[in-house]
Amino acid sequence: ACLRALQGAGVDMSTADSVGRTAAWTAAESGHEGCLRLLHGLGCDMGQPRNDGVTPAYVAAQEGHEGCLRLLHGFECDMGQPDKYGETPVNCASRYGQEDVIRLLHEFGCDMCQPDNKGNTPVLSAAEAGHEGCLNALHDILMDKENDEGFTPAYVAAANGHEGVLRLLDIYGCDMRQQ
């Protein structure tokens, strides 16, 4: 009722704050599916990014809000749009341990291998953060890809003490002798 009253009063529901957050962006961040539906029905831009390029889909992936991602996908939002650092929702979900989100984004047809601007792939991000579940979700993609500094998923996992990740990388055929 509040959103409809604001719109009725002439408030532009797509107005952004000083960092670019819109009502739709904030609803996606908070997991408020009903608000996303309502904002979409009011004609709001559901894919408008924040000033740094982070979209509602990206922040929903980061926070693990699968329902919001399903809605945004249904609204035909770009589910793979990178932020200004080249990080996609898949890479972000990998870094934050959102394995179910990774599976959902795969189901949507997102590129599961796209590196960010520094060459960090979703596999490398998951390995560095110690997210074994994310590696299981990403198991069918290249595990040995180096980033721009020459670091592999095995290297960053070892540097951060993630033994379980190293075991998984070995099971999935990662060359453990690379940097």
Side-chain angles (χ1 to χ4, degrees):
C2 182
L3 290 174
R4 287 205 189 277
L6 288 170
Q7 186 196 32
V11 174
D12 179 359
M13 302 304 287
S14 292
T15 300
D17 68 8
S18 63
V19 295
R21 293 176 297 216
T22 62
W25 193 97
T26 302
E29 177 188 35
S30 301
H32 298 305
E33 297 172 33
C35 290
L36 283 177
R37 280 188 208 90
L38 179 58
L39 290 164
H40 180 260
L42 295 173
C44 293
D45 180 351
M46 304 307 289
Q48 184 175 333
R50 210 170 53 184
N51 298 348
D52 60 2
V54 172
T55 63
Y58 181 107
V59 74
Q62 175 181 317
E63 299 299 327
H65 299 310
E66 295 171 57
C68 290
L69 286 167
R70 288 183 194 285
L71 285 171
L72 293 167
H73 182 257
F75 300 151
E76 299 184 5
C77 293
D78 183 349
M79 304 306 286
Q81 183 175 330
D83 67 5
K84 75 176 189 178
Y85 304 104
E87 188 174 73
T88 66
V90 173
N91 204 314
C92 179
S94 298
R95 191 164 37 89
Y96 281 88
Q98 304 293 355
E99 62 192 86
D100 291 334
V101 166
I102 293 168
R103 288 184 181 93
L104 183 62
L105 293 171
H106 184 263
E107 181 182 312
F108 292 157
C110 292
D111 183 347
M112 305 307 283
C113 302
Q114 184 175 339
D116 65 16
N117 294 345
K118 294 182 179 180
N120 297 315
T121 64
V123 168
L124 192 136
S125 295
E128 184 172 32
H131 298 305
E132 296 174 36
C134 292
L135 287 173
N136 283 323
L138 294 163
H139 75 276
D140 59 345
I141 65 173
L142 181 63
M143 292 282 170
D144 286 338
K145 178 121 174 60
E146 296 177 1
N147 69 6
D148 294 348
E149 297 179 82
F151 299 147
T152 64
Y155 177 88
V156 297
N160 288 287
H162 301 307
E163 294 176 38
V165 167
L166 287 170
R167 285 187 196 95
L168 275 177
L169 291 170
D170 183 47
I171 289 168
Y172 293 136
C174 182
D175 183 352
M176 305 303 273
R177 297 167 292 164
Q178 291 183 0
Q179 179 174 341

